[in-house]
Amino acid sequence: SGINGASVSWHDGLESVPSGPTLVIAHEFFDALPVRQFQRTERGWCEKLVTIDSDLLETDAGAEKTAKPKPEKVQGRELEMVLSPGPTPASHMLVPKRLKGVPQHIVDGLRLLELSPPSLSLWDRLAERIEQHSGAVLAIDYGEEGPLGDTLEAIKDHKFVHVLDSPGEADLSAYVDFGALRQIIDEKPNSGVTCHGPITQQQFLLSLGLIPRLEKLVENATSEAQADELIKGCERLVSDSKGDAEANEPPGMGVRYKAMCLVSRGLPKPAGF
């Protein structure tokens, strides 16, 4: 296919992309990748697992369990979260690695920990890619420095629903742990890549010249209504407001969204950072 005369190719994975200088833009991508959740207990860091809701099962002596929804249950909710009896292999591998170097007072206050192994793996592969072929990776997403607790959420028909409602029909997402991504690069000080950020979207866009750009767009607006829409859109991109659900005002994206960049060694610090 082609876009504005340019040739476009689709690939199933990074491995099939031809060799050469690489530019990657991941906008609201990492938030959609799977996460694992762990909870600190007296038995150690146990993992949250998904199982059949025990209230939906009836067991007769010598008979197999069969699922029988009760009237008061939410239709389609046949799953529930449970904790593993003790630490799982993932607990032993992932939790200590993420908490390495985190100030002790923060570790002591943690009761929940959320990690995305696929995100970490992909970030590592992207770093290897630009180390070998040169280039840069820009990730923009809602997230925090981390470590993060329970941020997993589900949206269906523009409304928040339980993450186990209607599996496969709701949009699942979680905050991106940018600190965990940067940790991968920090642990390879001799690698051929440099990590910049995360910084807030507000800092990123303002430093790139958002205000002069807005002024030019407003100057060329065809109507006062169009100018107002441009200004409102810009305000939401950089605002740190928490929004007002009753007034149907969404929260600002300026602080919730972060930007982080990988560049191959030898390249200058990217614009915006």
Side-chain angles (χ1 to χ4, degrees):
S1 62
I3 298 178
N4 294 333
S7 176
V8 176
S9 300
W10 295 90
H11 295 270
D12 292 330
L14 188 63
E15 298 77 13
S16 64
V17 178
S19 300
T22 304
L23 297 176
V24 177
I25 299 176
H27 182 241
E28 290 196 45
F29 174 79
F30 284 97
D31 70 275
L33 298 185
V35 297
R36 288 179 179 266
Q37 294 182 336
F38 306 92
Q39 182 172 321
R40 177 182 288 181
T41 72
E42 57 185 13
R43 305 184 302 277
W45 283 98
C46 297
E47 187 172 4
K48 285 188 177 182
L49 306 173
V50 179
T51 186
I52 299 294
D53 191 331
S54 57
D55 289 342
L56 300 179
L57 299 174
E58 284 190 2
T59 306
D60 297 326
E64 294 184 354
K65 293 183 177 181
T66 56
K68 294 184 178 181
K70 295 183 178 181
E72 68 271 20
K73 286 289 181 182
V74 178
Q75 185 176 3
R77 175 86 64 77
E78 298 184 0
L79 303 172
E80 66 177 349
M81 291 281 195
V82 297
L83 279 180
S84 60
T88 62
S91 303
H92 289 299
M93 292 177 59
L94 300 175
V95 174
K97 183 175 177 63
R98 177 61 185 97
L99 298 183
K100 180 182 178 181
V102 176
Q104 192 59 44
H105 70 277
I106 294 180
V107 174
D108 292 342
L110 282 176
R111 292 295 176 267
L112 296 172
L113 183 63
E114 185 177 81
L115 297 169
S116 175
S119 297
L120 302 177
S121 175
L122 178 57
W123 192 251
D124 194 22
R125 286 162 52 210
L126 288 170
E128 291 179 354
R129 170 82 186 196
I130 64 172
E131 181 178 15
Q132 294 174 5
H133 303 288
S134 78
V137 180
L138 175 64
I140 303 177
D141 225 311
Y142 54 95
E144 298 291 348
E145 182 77 17
L148 299 176
D150 182 1
T151 74
L152 183 63
E153 58 187 17
I155 299 177
K156 182 181 180 182
D157 299 329
H158 307 289
K159 296 179 181 178
F160 286 102
V161 296
H162 191 279
V163 294
L164 297 181
D165 284 349
S166 305
E169 298 178 4
D171 178 18
L172 301 179
S173 65
Y175 269 48
V176 177
D177 185 347
F178 284 101
L181 297 182
R182 194 185 60 243
Q183 186 182 46
I184 292 176
I185 310 304
D186 291 343
E187 292 179 349
K188 299 179 180 180
N190 298 320
S191 71
V193 299
T194 304
C195 186
H196 299 277
I199 61 175
T200 65
Q201 180 170 280
Q202 181 186 82
Q203 295 171 301
F204 183 61
L205 294 180
L206 290 178
S207 64
L208 285 175
L210 179 67
I211 300 304
R213 173 64 175 160
L214 174 65
E215 291 173 347
K216 190 67 176 178
L217 290 172
V218 169
E219 180 183 323
N220 294 323
T222 57
S223 65
E224 186 174 339
Q226 186 185 52
D228 288 342
E229 285 299 311
L230 289 167
I231 294 172
K232 288 180 181 178
C234 179
E235 287 177 343
R236 189 182 176 210
L237 286 175
V238 297
S239 170
D240 58 3
S241 77
K242 296 182 179 180
D244 187 339
E246 294 184 0
N248 199 28
E249 294 180 0
M253 302 166 66
V255 175
R256 291 195 308 136
Y257 279 69
K258 307 291 191 301
M260 192 157 73
C261 188
L262 288 177
V263 295
S264 50
R265 287 280 172 89
L267 293 180
K269 180 181 290 190
F273 289 87

